[in-house]
């Protein structure tokens, strides 16, 4: 399953770091960040708890870019 999220990131290099951090998160099959559109598309493993995984993605992204934000559906 793929979902797209709005993100807040300041530069293209930071967007690349966020993409790599998201890809390393358990339950994420693939992730791409489009800096120009401020969107992150995440492909999840089958039967994944997307909200739980996205909280981990955000935590991992904040390790590389502390002021980033991802709009996660609550």
């Amino acid at each position: 399953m793929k979902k797209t999220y709005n993100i807040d990131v300041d530069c293209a290099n930071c967007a690349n770091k966020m993409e790599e951090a998201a890809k390393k998160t358990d339950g994420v099959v693939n992730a791409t960040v489009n800096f120009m559109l401020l969107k992150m598309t995440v492909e999840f493993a089958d039967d994944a708890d997307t909200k739980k995984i996205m909280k981990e993605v955000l935590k991992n992204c904040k390790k590389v870019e502390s002021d980033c934000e991802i709009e996660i559906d609550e």
Side-chain angles (χ1 to χ4, degrees):
M1 167 185 9
K2 281 187 181 180
K3 291 184 93 174
T4 301
Y5 300 89
N6 293 322
I7 62 168
D8 182 19
V9 62
D10 298 330
C11 68
N13 186 45
C14 298
N16 288 337
K17 289 179 182 179
M18 287 178 62
E19 183 176 295
E20 290 304 313
K23 287 179 180 179
K24 293 177 182 175
T25 306
D26 287 340
V28 173
V29 175
N30 196 17
T32 56
V33 173
N34 185 319
F35 173 67
M36 296 301 288
L37 297 177
L38 296 177
K39 301 278 186 193
M40 174 185 278
T41 302
V42 180
E43 183 179 352
F44 297 96
D46 294 335
D47 300 323
D49 181 346
T50 59
K51 288 181 185 174
K52 182 178 177 184
I53 292 170
M54 284 308 296
K55 286 180 183 176
E56 287 300 311
V57 167
L58 179 58
K59 189 186 306 182
N60 291 340
C61 287
K62 283 189 175 283
K63 289 178 185 175
V64 295
E65 186 55 41
S66 62
D67 64 346
C68 74
E69 289 298 330
I70 303 172
E71 288 183 25
I72 302 172
D73 302 334
E74 293 294 332

